[in-house]
Amino acid sequence: MPSLRSAPRRAILPVLVASAISLTACSGGGSSSSSSASGGKALVIDTSFNLKTADPGRMYEQTGLLVDRALYDTLLTFTGSDVSKPVPALAESYQESKDGKTLTLKLRQGATFSDGSPVTADDVVFSLNRVRDLKGNPSFLLDGVTVKKVDDTTIELHSAQPNPALPFILPNPALGIVNSKVVKAHGGTESADDKAESFLNGQSAGSGPYVLDSFNASTQVVLKANAKYWGTTKPAYGKVVIRNVQAPTQKLNVQRGDSQIALDLSADQAQGIGGGLQVAKGASASVFFLLANHGSAVSKVTSNPKFVEAVRKGVDYQGLLQLAGEGSVQAAGIVPSMINGALPADQATKRDVAGAKAALAASGVPNPKVKLEFPSDYTLNGLSFQPLAERIQANLKEVGITVDLAPAPIATALQNYRDGKEEMGLWWWSPDYPDASDYLAFLPGKLIGLRAGWKKGDDSALESAGDKAARTIGDARAQQYQQIQTQLNQNGPIVPLFQPSQHVVSAASVTGVALNPVWTIDLATLGSK
């Protein structure tokens, strides 16, 4: 999916914000959460499900990340919306080797699973090896990584190549640590022969603040507070009910107090919602972009660098932001604003119609006509692709470029995109993990580069810069990724457009809503007043 490595992947899913968040309360009265029969208050959350399993070794859908974040602790984590620095969780500290190949973690003492048994180094090794060797959707997170128990409190992760992104990968809920004895007793193995999924869809085996009460991938998931949770901050809600509800009904439910949180409202739906409700809003971690195929066999037009320059200068970015809604921001580069290595906002491309016309004239392509493909039956953060494509079509017409719109069902559009056959495409990318290295996929010879007809050797300087950045650890990384994006913006076949807004509405009684691009919201940090 369009992080679009392979379907189903979370990058084609609604990915939530981590930056520029504001929380505002509208006027009127709010409804507080009800009492739970299991003790404490109950919290009801409405979201549009993209959910297959609660098994962390197989889970890589957005709703699953929300659920497993509450069930399974990870070695490292992020604080609130800040994904700029991984912090300790089950590991009390970590250290990277100078060559970037080895990550050493010291385990926290006193952490326990929901059955009261201690979290051990053996559980960590089993859990990470299981994710890697199941060959499920999240297995790529640990490609090339070996996991070693040094002693009872020390774990060592080794990569054949420098892997400075690993601390940013480990907070992913798919890498939650499971109780190895329990999982093994129910068919769990460190191989594709693992049979533990059905058990883990009925009962969790983690150390998180909640345990699984019931699971239905189509209708709802119910969590209960973990009575033996080891953390210092206990969950505020005795029960959390996560329901599969479409956005229009989500709005109605949260307005009348049938739910306390609605995760998927568009900017228009959230605007002026009133009723004492709070609205968390900001730019999501998804980036919409245009692809202009660099391969001359696909298009003699889009493979012309001056034509791409004309497109880049001809797009009305501010007009697209108006369509995207309040809270959206222009993408200065392909790395979203909340990730280290993003370009500063003041380096975003500005529309220059005269410059676009000059570039088009310099291209030597008379009266260019191109086909723009995009999915017709999918929305991201409430946005349909059709109005965006129509606006781009009108923008480029002013420059002298005729754009024929070619919407198609997402399955069809995806196939052309993945096969590198699109002349032009309107797509998006959402981070697999919040590190700029995930965006090296846009370089020549890499995943998205190849889909844009940009082959290895087409820009050796940029490829070398990418190889260097991938090996670099420390503060120098951010500057290197900024330089790479500057070069991409000047010479690449990709035109970053914008990061859409995300709006999450909650009752006035709910506190601690902090949106995160990996797991949406952290149920453990939600409070009640």
Side-chain angles (χ1 to χ4, degrees), residues 229-250:
Y229 182 53
W230 61 273
T232 55
T233 303
K234 307 302 181 184
Y237 295 92
K239 177 184 286 187
V240 178
V241 180
I242 304 167
R243 306 187 301 192
N244 186 12
V245 179
Q246 295 305 305
T249 307
Q250 288 183 36

mmCIF file with all atom_site columns, all heavy atoms in Angstrom, residues 229-250:
data_model
loop_
_atom_site.group_PDB
_atom_site.id
_atom_site.type_symbol
_atom_site.label_atom_id
_atom_site.label_alt_id
_atom_site.label_comp_id
_atom_site.label_asym_id
_atom_site.label_entity_id
_atom_site.label_seq_id
_atom_site.pdbx_PDB_ins_code
_atom_site.Cartn_x
_atom_site.Cartn_y
_atom_site.Cartn_z
_atom_site.occupancy
_atom_site.B_iso_or_equiv
_atom_site.pdbx_formal_charge
_atom_site.auth_seq_id
_atom_site.auth_comp_id
_atom_site.auth_asym_id
_atom_site.auth_atom_id
_atom_site.pdbx_PDB_model_num
ATOM 1   N N   . TYR A 1 229 ? -0.476  -4.596 36.330 1.00 0.00 ? 229 TYR A N   1
ATOM 2   C CA  . TYR A 1 229 ? 0.421   -3.760 35.535 1.00 0.00 ? 229 TYR A CA  1
ATOM 3   C C   . TYR A 1 229 ? 1.563   -3.238 36.392 1.00 0.00 ? 229 TYR A C   1
ATOM 4   O O   . TYR A 1 229 ? 1.356   -2.712 37.490 1.00 0.00 ? 229 TYR A O   1
ATOM 5   C CB  . TYR A 1 229 ? -0.358  -2.597 34.924 1.00 0.00 ? 229 TYR A CB  1
ATOM 6   C CG  . TYR A 1 229 ? 0.502   -1.716 34.043 1.00 0.00 ? 229 TYR A CG  1
ATOM 7   C CD1 . TYR A 1 229 ? 1.250   -2.271 33.015 1.00 0.00 ? 229 TYR A CD1 1
ATOM 8   C CD2 . TYR A 1 229 ? 0.581   -0.338 34.259 1.00 0.00 ? 229 TYR A CD2 1
ATOM 9   C CE1 . TYR A 1 229 ? 2.049   -1.483 32.209 1.00 0.00 ? 229 TYR A CE1 1
ATOM 10  C CE2 . TYR A 1 229 ? 1.371   0.456  33.451 1.00 0.00 ? 229 TYR A CE2 1
ATOM 11  C CZ  . TYR A 1 229 ? 2.112   -0.126 32.432 1.00 0.00 ? 229 TYR A CZ  1
ATOM 12  O OH  . TYR A 1 229 ? 2.912   0.663  31.643 1.00 0.00 ? 229 TYR A OH  1
ATOM 13  N N   . TRP A 1 230 ? 2.762   -3.361 35.886 1.00 0.00 ? 230 TRP A N   1
ATOM 14  C CA  . TRP A 1 230 ? 3.970   -3.040 36.632 1.00 0.00 ? 230 TRP A CA  1
ATOM 15  C C   . TRP A 1 230 ? 4.326   -1.554 36.618 1.00 0.00 ? 230 TRP A C   1
ATOM 16  O O   . TRP A 1 230 ? 5.107   -1.087 37.446 1.00 0.00 ? 230 TRP A O   1
ATOM 17  C CB  . TRP A 1 230 ? 5.150   -3.827 36.051 1.00 0.00 ? 230 TRP A CB  1
ATOM 18  C CG  . TRP A 1 230 ? 5.419   -3.472 34.599 1.00 0.00 ? 230 TRP A CG  1
ATOM 19  C CD1 . TRP A 1 230 ? 4.845   -4.036 33.511 1.00 0.00 ? 230 TRP A CD1 1
ATOM 20  C CD2 . TRP A 1 230 ? 6.308   -2.474 34.115 1.00 0.00 ? 230 TRP A CD2 1
ATOM 21  N NE1 . TRP A 1 230 ? 5.310   -3.461 32.358 1.00 0.00 ? 230 TRP A NE1 1
ATOM 22  C CE2 . TRP A 1 230 ? 6.225   -2.490 32.705 1.00 0.00 ? 230 TRP A CE2 1
ATOM 23  C CE3 . TRP A 1 230 ? 7.177   -1.572 34.714 1.00 0.00 ? 230 TRP A CE3 1
ATOM 24  C CZ2 . TRP A 1 230 ? 6.960   -1.631 31.890 1.00 0.00 ? 230 TRP A CZ2 1
ATOM 25  C CZ3 . TRP A 1 230 ? 7.921   -0.718 33.914 1.00 0.00 ? 230 TRP A CZ3 1
ATOM 26  C CH2 . TRP A 1 230 ? 7.807   -0.751 32.515 1.00 0.00 ? 230 TRP A CH2 1
ATOM 27  N N   . GLY A 1 231 ? 3.774   -0.799 35.663 1.00 0.00 ? 231 GLY A N   1
ATOM 28  C CA  . GLY A 1 231 ? 4.154   0.607  35.514 1.00 0.00 ? 231 GLY A CA  1
ATOM 29  C C   . GLY A 1 231 ? 3.669   1.467  36.670 1.00 0.00 ? 231 GLY A C   1
ATOM 30  O O   . GLY A 1 231 ? 2.747   1.114  37.410 1.00 0.00 ? 231 GLY A O   1
ATOM 31  N N   . THR A 1 232 ? 4.288   2.634  36.803 1.00 0.00 ? 232 THR A N   1
ATOM 32  C CA  . THR A 1 232 ? 3.931   3.537  37.905 1.00 0.00 ? 232 THR A CA  1
ATOM 33  C C   . THR A 1 232 ? 2.604   4.235  37.654 1.00 0.00 ? 232 THR A C   1
ATOM 34  O O   . THR A 1 232 ? 1.891   4.574  38.600 1.00 0.00 ? 232 THR A O   1
ATOM 35  C CB  . THR A 1 232 ? 5.031   4.596  38.099 1.00 0.00 ? 232 THR A CB  1
ATOM 36  O OG1 . THR A 1 232 ? 5.251   5.282  36.857 1.00 0.00 ? 232 THR A OG1 1
ATOM 37  C CG2 . THR A 1 232 ? 6.330   3.947  38.541 1.00 0.00 ? 232 THR A CG2 1
ATOM 38  N N   . THR A 1 233 ? 2.245   4.464  36.385 1.00 0.00 ? 233 THR A N   1
ATOM 39  C CA  . THR A 1 233 ? 0.979   5.107  36.057 1.00 0.00 ? 233 THR A CA  1
ATOM 40  C C   . THR A 1 233 ? -0.037  4.039  35.642 1.00 0.00 ? 233 THR A C   1
ATOM 41  O O   . THR A 1 233 ? 0.112   3.406  34.599 1.00 0.00 ? 233 THR A O   1
ATOM 42  C CB  . THR A 1 233 ? 1.158   6.122  34.916 1.00 0.00 ? 233 THR A CB  1
ATOM 43  O OG1 . THR A 1 233 ? 2.141   7.092  35.293 1.00 0.00 ? 233 THR A OG1 1
ATOM 44  C CG2 . THR A 1 233 ? -0.161  6.832  34.629 1.00 0.00 ? 233 THR A CG2 1
ATOM 45  N N   . LYS A 1 234 ? -1.035  3.840  36.468 1.00 0.00 ? 234 LYS A N   1
ATOM 46  C CA  . LYS A 1 234 ? -2.038  2.822  36.189 1.00 0.00 ? 234 LYS A CA  1
ATOM 47  C C   . LYS A 1 234 ? -3.079  3.370  35.201 1.00 0.00 ? 234 LYS A C   1
ATOM 48  O O   . LYS A 1 234 ? -3.352  4.578  35.172 1.00 0.00 ? 234 LYS A O   1
ATOM 49  C CB  . LYS A 1 234 ? -2.736  2.403  37.483 1.00 0.00 ? 234 LYS A CB  1
ATOM 50  C CG  . LYS A 1 234 ? -1.783  1.974  38.591 1.00 0.00 ? 234 LYS A CG  1
ATOM 51  C CD  . LYS A 1 234 ? -0.896  0.811  38.188 1.00 0.00 ? 234 LYS A CD  1
ATOM 52  C CE  . LYS A 1 234 ? 0.031   0.405  39.335 1.00 0.00 ? 234 LYS A CE  1
ATOM 53  N NZ  . LYS A 1 234 ? 0.969   -0.674 38.935 1.00 0.00 ? 234 LYS A NZ  1
ATOM 54  N N   . PRO A 1 235 ? -3.691  2.501  34.396 1.00 0.00 ? 235 PRO A N   1
ATOM 55  C CA  . PRO A 1 235 ? -4.703  2.968  33.444 1.00 0.00 ? 235 PRO A CA  1
ATOM 56  C C   . PRO A 1 235 ? -5.898  3.582  34.163 1.00 0.00 ? 235 PRO A C   1
ATOM 57  O O   . PRO A 1 235 ? -6.353  3.081  35.190 1.00 0.00 ? 235 PRO A O   1
ATOM 58  C CB  . PRO A 1 235 ? -5.089  1.699  32.682 1.00 0.00 ? 235 PRO A CB  1
ATOM 59  C CG  . PRO A 1 235 ? -4.600  0.556  33.514 1.00 0.00 ? 235 PRO A CG  1
ATOM 60  C CD  . PRO A 1 235 ? -3.431  1.057  34.286 1.00 0.00 ? 235 PRO A CD  1
ATOM 61  N N   . ALA A 1 236 ? -6.397  4.690  33.601 1.00 0.00 ? 236 ALA A N   1
ATOM 62  C CA  . ALA A 1 236 ? -7.496  5.427  34.239 1.00 0.00 ? 236 ALA A CA  1
ATOM 63  C C   . ALA A 1 236 ? -8.848  4.770  33.994 1.00 0.00 ? 236 ALA A C   1
ATOM 64  O O   . ALA A 1 236 ? -9.796  5.025  34.732 1.00 0.00 ? 236 ALA A O   1
ATOM 65  C CB  . ALA A 1 236 ? -7.511  6.868  33.728 1.00 0.00 ? 236 ALA A CB  1
ATOM 66  N N   . TYR A 1 237 ? -8.933  3.954  32.956 1.00 0.00 ? 237 TYR A N   1
ATOM 67  C CA  . TYR A 1 237 ? -10.216 3.353  32.587 1.00 0.00 ? 237 TYR A CA  1
ATOM 68  C C   . TYR A 1 237 ? -10.184 1.845  32.841 1.00 0.00 ? 237 TYR A C   1
ATOM 69  O O   . TYR A 1 237 ? -9.242  1.159  32.442 1.00 0.00 ? 237 TYR A O   1
ATOM 70  C CB  . TYR A 1 237 ? -10.539 3.631  31.127 1.00 0.00 ? 237 TYR A CB  1
ATOM 71  C CG  . TYR A 1 237 ? -10.740 5.106  30.847 1.00 0.00 ? 237 TYR A CG  1
ATOM 72  C CD1 . TYR A 1 237 ? -9.684  5.903  30.433 1.00 0.00 ? 237 TYR A CD1 1
ATOM 73  C CD2 . TYR A 1 237 ? -11.980 5.701  31.037 1.00 0.00 ? 237 TYR A CD2 1
ATOM 74  C CE1 . TYR A 1 237 ? -9.857  7.260  30.189 1.00 0.00 ? 237 TYR A CE1 1
ATOM 75  C CE2 . TYR A 1 237 ? -12.161 7.060  30.810 1.00 0.00 ? 237 TYR A CE2 1
ATOM 76  C CZ  . TYR A 1 237 ? -11.095 7.830  30.386 1.00 0.00 ? 237 TYR A CZ  1
ATOM 77  O OH  . TYR A 1 237 ? -11.276 9.177  30.154 1.00 0.00 ? 237 TYR A OH  1
ATOM 78  N N   . GLY A 1 238 ? -11.239 1.342  33.486 1.00 0.00 ? 238 GLY A N   1
ATOM 79  C CA  . GLY A 1 238 ? -11.323 -0.084 33.746 1.00 0.00 ? 238 GLY A CA  1
ATOM 80  C C   . GLY A 1 238 ? -11.590 -0.890 32.496 1.00 0.00 ? 238 GLY A C   1
ATOM 81  O O   . GLY A 1 238 ? -11.209 -2.057 32.396 1.00 0.00 ? 238 GLY A O   1
ATOM 82  N N   . LYS A 1 239 ? -12.236 -0.271 31.530 1.00 0.00 ? 239 LYS A N   1
ATOM 83  C CA  . LYS A 1 239 ? -12.555 -0.943 30.271 1.00 0.00 ? 239 LYS A CA  1
ATOM 84  C C   . LYS A 1 239 ? -12.454 0.063  29.136 1.00 0.00 ? 239 LYS A C   1
ATOM 85  O O   . LYS A 1 239 ? -12.841 1.223  29.282 1.00 0.00 ? 239 LYS A O   1
ATOM 86  C CB  . LYS A 1 239 ? -13.966 -1.540 30.308 1.00 0.00 ? 239 LYS A CB  1
ATOM 87  C CG  . LYS A 1 239 ? -14.401 -2.197 29.001 1.00 0.00 ? 239 LYS A CG  1
ATOM 88  C CD  . LYS A 1 239 ? -15.838 -2.689 29.053 1.00 0.00 ? 239 LYS A CD  1
ATOM 89  C CE  . LYS A 1 239 ? -15.985 -3.924 29.896 1.00 0.00 ? 239 LYS A CE  1
ATOM 90  N NZ  . LYS A 1 239 ? -17.366 -4.494 29.812 1.00 0.00 ? 239 LYS A NZ  1
ATOM 91  N N   . VAL A 1 240 ? -11.939 -0.400 28.003 1.00 0.00 ? 240 VAL A N   1
ATOM 92  C CA  . VAL A 1 240 ? -11.894 0.400  26.782 1.00 0.00 ? 240 VAL A CA  1
ATOM 93  C C   . VAL A 1 240 ? -12.558 -0.400 25.676 1.00 0.00 ? 240 VAL A C   1
ATOM 94  O O   . VAL A 1 240 ? -12.168 -1.541 25.397 1.00 0.00 ? 240 VAL A O   1
ATOM 95  C CB  . VAL A 1 240 ? -10.453 0.765  26.370 1.00 0.00 ? 240 VAL A CB  1
ATOM 96  C CG1 . VAL A 1 240 ? -10.454 1.547  25.060 1.00 0.00 ? 240 VAL A CG1 1
ATOM 97  C CG2 . VAL A 1 240 ? -9.766  1.570  27.465 1.00 0.00 ? 240 VAL A CG2 1
ATOM 98  N N   . VAL A 1 241 ? -13.576 0.190  25.061 1.00 0.00 ? 241 VAL A N   1
ATOM 99  C CA  . VAL A 1 241 ? -14.287 -0.443 23.953 1.00 0.00 ? 241 VAL A CA  1
ATOM 100 C C   . VAL A 1 241 ? -13.946 0.320  22.679 1.00 0.00 ? 241 VAL A C   1
ATOM 101 O O   . VAL A 1 241 ? -14.209 1.523  22.570 1.00 0.00 ? 241 VAL A O   1
ATOM 102 C CB  . VAL A 1 241 ? -15.810 -0.435 24.186 1.00 0.00 ? 241 VAL A CB  1
ATOM 103 C CG1 . VAL A 1 241 ? -16.530 -1.112 23.016 1.00 0.00 ? 241 VAL A CG1 1
ATOM 104 C CG2 . VAL A 1 241 ? -16.152 -1.125 25.498 1.00 0.00 ? 241 VAL A CG2 1
ATOM 105 N N   . ILE A 1 242 ? -13.362 -0.368 21.715 1.00 0.00 ? 242 ILE A N   1
ATOM 106 C CA  . ILE A 1 242 ? -12.973 0.235  20.435 1.00 0.00 ? 242 ILE A CA  1
ATOM 107 C C   . ILE A 1 242 ? -13.923 -0.326 19.381 1.00 0.00 ? 242 ILE A C   1
ATOM 108 O O   . ILE A 1 242 ? -13.940 -1.542 19.133 1.00 0.00 ? 242 ILE A O   1
ATOM 109 C CB  . ILE A 1 242 ? -11.514 -0.092 20.090 1.00 0.00 ? 242 ILE A CB  1
ATOM 110 C CG1 . ILE A 1 242 ? -10.588 0.357  21.231 1.00 0.00 ? 242 ILE A CG1 1
ATOM 111 C CG2 . ILE A 1 242 ? -11.102 0.583  18.784 1.00 0.00 ? 242 ILE A CG2 1
ATOM 112 C CD1 . ILE A 1 242 ? -9.177  -0.189 21.129 1.00 0.00 ? 242 ILE A CD1 1
ATOM 113 N N   . ARG A 1 243 ? -14.723 0.559  18.776 1.00 0.00 ? 243 ARG A N   1
ATOM 114 C CA  . ARG A 1 243 ? -15.791 0.120  17.862 1.00 0.00 ? 243 ARG A CA  1
ATOM 115 C C   . ARG A 1 243 ? -15.497 0.508  16.419 1.00 0.00 ? 243 ARG A C   1
ATOM 116 O O   . ARG A 1 243 ? -14.906 1.550  16.151 1.00 0.00 ? 243 ARG A O   1
ATOM 117 C CB  . ARG A 1 243 ? -17.122 0.732  18.287 1.00 0.00 ? 243 ARG A CB  1
ATOM 118 C CG  . ARG A 1 243 ? -17.487 0.474  19.738 1.00 0.00 ? 243 ARG A CG  1
ATOM 119 C CD  . ARG A 1 243 ? -18.882 0.948  20.060 1.00 0.00 ? 243 ARG A CD  1
ATOM 120 N NE  . ARG A 1 243 ? -19.094 2.379  19.825 1.00 0.00 ? 243 ARG A NE  1
ATOM 121 C CZ  . ARG A 1 243 ? -20.157 3.054  20.247 1.00 0.00 ? 243 ARG A CZ  1
ATOM 122 N NH1 . ARG A 1 243 ? -21.097 2.423  20.936 1.00 0.00 ? 243 ARG A NH1 1
ATOM 123 N NH2 . ARG A 1 243 ? -20.280 4.341  20.003 1.00 0.00 ? 243 ARG A NH2 1
ATOM 124 N N   . ASN A 1 244 ? -15.930 -0.332 15.503 1.00 0.00 ? 244 ASN A N   1
ATOM 125 C CA  . ASN A 1 244 ? -15.785 -0.076 14.070 1.00 0.00 ? 244 ASN A CA  1
ATOM 126 C C   . ASN A 1 244 ? -16.969 0.757  13.592 1.00 0.00 ? 244 ASN A C   1
ATOM 127 O O   . ASN A 1 244 ? -18.086 0.258  13.437 1.00 0.00 ? 244 ASN A O   1
ATOM 128 C CB  . ASN A 1 244 ? -15.726 -1.396 13.305 1.00 0.00 ? 244 ASN A CB  1
ATOM 129 C CG  . ASN A 1 244 ? -15.433 -1.191 11.825 1.00 0.00 ? 244 ASN A CG  1
ATOM 130 O OD1 . ASN A 1 244 ? -15.054 -0.101 11.400 1.00 0.00 ? 244 ASN A OD1 1
ATOM 131 N ND2 . ASN A 1 244 ? -15.603 -2.234 11.043 1.00 0.00 ? 244 ASN A ND2 1
ATOM 132 N N   . VAL A 1 245 ? -16.731 2.045  13.370 1.00 0.00 ? 245 VAL A N   1
ATOM 133 C CA  . VAL A 1 245 ? -17.794 2.981  13.017 1.00 0.00 ? 245 VAL A CA  1
ATOM 134 C C   . VAL A 1 245 ? -17.277 3.928  11.937 1.00 0.00 ? 245 VAL A C   1
ATOM 135 O O   . VAL A 1 245 ? -16.156 4.430  12.032 1.00 0.00 ? 245 VAL A O   1
ATOM 136 C CB  . VAL A 1 245 ? -18.242 3.800  14.255 1.00 0.00 ? 245 VAL A CB  1
ATOM 137 C CG1 . VAL A 1 245 ? -19.335 4.785  13.885 1.00 0.00 ? 245 VAL A CG1 1
ATOM 138 C CG2 . VAL A 1 245 ? -18.709 2.870  15.371 1.00 0.00 ? 245 VAL A CG2 1
ATOM 139 N N   . GLN A 1 246 ? -18.084 4.193  10.921 1.00 0.00 ? 246 GLN A N   1
ATOM 140 C CA  . GLN A 1 246 ? -17.686 5.117  9.871  1.00 0.00 ? 246 GLN A CA  1
ATOM 141 C C   . GLN A 1 246 ? -17.779 6.563  10.371 1.00 0.00 ? 246 GLN A C   1
ATOM 142 O O   . GLN A 1 246 ? -18.507 6.875  11.304 1.00 0.00 ? 246 GLN A O   1
ATOM 143 C CB  . GLN A 1 246 ? -18.556 4.925  8.635  1.00 0.00 ? 246 GLN A CB  1
ATOM 144 C CG  . GLN A 1 246 ? -18.377 3.548  7.990  1.00 0.00 ? 246 GLN A CG  1
ATOM 145 C CD  . GLN A 1 246 ? -16.933 3.242  7.650  1.00 0.00 ? 246 GLN A CD  1
ATOM 146 O OE1 . GLN A 1 246 ? -16.277 4.000  6.945  1.00 0.00 ? 246 GLN A OE1 1
ATOM 147 N NE2 . GLN A 1 246 ? -16.416 2.134  8.172  1.00 0.00 ? 246 GLN A NE2 1
ATOM 148 N N   . ALA A 1 247 ? -17.036 7.450  9.706  1.00 0.00 ? 247 ALA A N   1
ATOM 149 C CA  . ALA A 1 247 ? -16.836 8.806  10.211 1.00 0.00 ? 247 ALA A CA  1
ATOM 150 C C   . ALA A 1 247 ? -18.137 9.578  10.477 1.00 0.00 ? 247 ALA A C   1
ATOM 151 O O   . ALA A 1 247 ? -18.253 10.223 11.528 1.00 0.00 ? 247 ALA A O   1
ATOM 152 C CB  . ALA A 1 247 ? -15.927 9.582  9.267  1.00 0.00 ? 247 ALA A CB  1
ATOM 153 N N   . PRO A 1 248 ? -19.121 9.590  9.583  1.00 0.00 ? 248 PRO A N   1
ATOM 154 C CA  . PRO A 1 248 ? -20.336 10.365 9.870  1.00 0.00 ? 248 PRO A CA  1
ATOM 155 C C   . PRO A 1 248 ? -21.033 9.926  11.154 1.00 0.00 ? 248 PRO A C   1
ATOM 156 O O   . PRO A 1 248 ? -21.520 10.748 11.931 1.00 0.00 ? 248 PRO A O   1
ATOM 157 C CB  . PRO A 1 248 ? -21.212 10.122 8.641  1.00 0.00 ? 248 PRO A CB  1
ATOM 158 C CG  . PRO A 1 248 ? -20.242 9.788  7.547  1.00 0.00 ? 248 PRO A CG  1
ATOM 159 C CD  . PRO A 1 248 ? -19.160 9.014  8.216  1.00 0.00 ? 248 PRO A CD  1
ATOM 160 N N   . THR A 1 249 ? -21.065 8.602  11.385 1.00 0.00 ? 249 THR A N   1
ATOM 161 C CA  . THR A 1 249 ? -21.684 8.095  12.607 1.00 0.00 ? 249 THR A CA  1
ATOM 162 C C   . THR A 1 249 ? -20.796 8.359  13.818 1.00 0.00 ? 249 THR A C   1
ATOM 163 O O   . THR A 1 249 ? -21.296 8.585  14.932 1.00 0.00 ? 249 THR A O   1
ATOM 164 C CB  . THR A 1 249 ? -21.974 6.590  12.481 1.00 0.00 ? 249 THR A CB  1
ATOM 165 O OG1 . THR A 1 249 ? -22.734 6.363  11.293 1.00 0.00 ? 249 THR A OG1 1
ATOM 166 C CG2 . THR A 1 249 ? -22.755 6.072  13.672 1.00 0.00 ? 249 THR A CG2 1
ATOM 167 N N   . GLN A 1 250 ? -19.491 8.345  13.615 1.00 0.00 ? 250 GLN A N   1
ATOM 168 C CA  . GLN A 1 250 ? -18.580 8.709  14.700 1.00 0.00 ? 250 GLN A CA  1
ATOM 169 C C   . GLN A 1 250 ? -18.918 10.098 15.242 1.00 0.00 ? 250 GLN A C   1
ATOM 170 O O   . GLN A 1 250 ? -18.933 10.321 16.458 1.00 0.00 ? 250 GLN A O   1
ATOM 171 C CB  . GLN A 1 250 ? -17.132 8.694  14.219 1.00 0.00 ? 250 GLN A CB  1
ATOM 172 C CG  . GLN A 1 250 ? -16.536 7.334  13.971 1.00 0.00 ? 250 GLN A CG  1
ATOM 173 C CD  . GLN A 1 250 ? -15.070 7.425  13.576 1.00 0.00 ? 250 GLN A CD  1
ATOM 174 O OE1 . GLN A 1 250 ? -14.329 8.275  14.057 1.00 0.00 ? 250 GLN A OE1 1
ATOM 175 N NE2 . GLN A 1 250 ? -14.637 6.536  12.680 1.00 0.00 ? 250 GLN A NE2 1
#
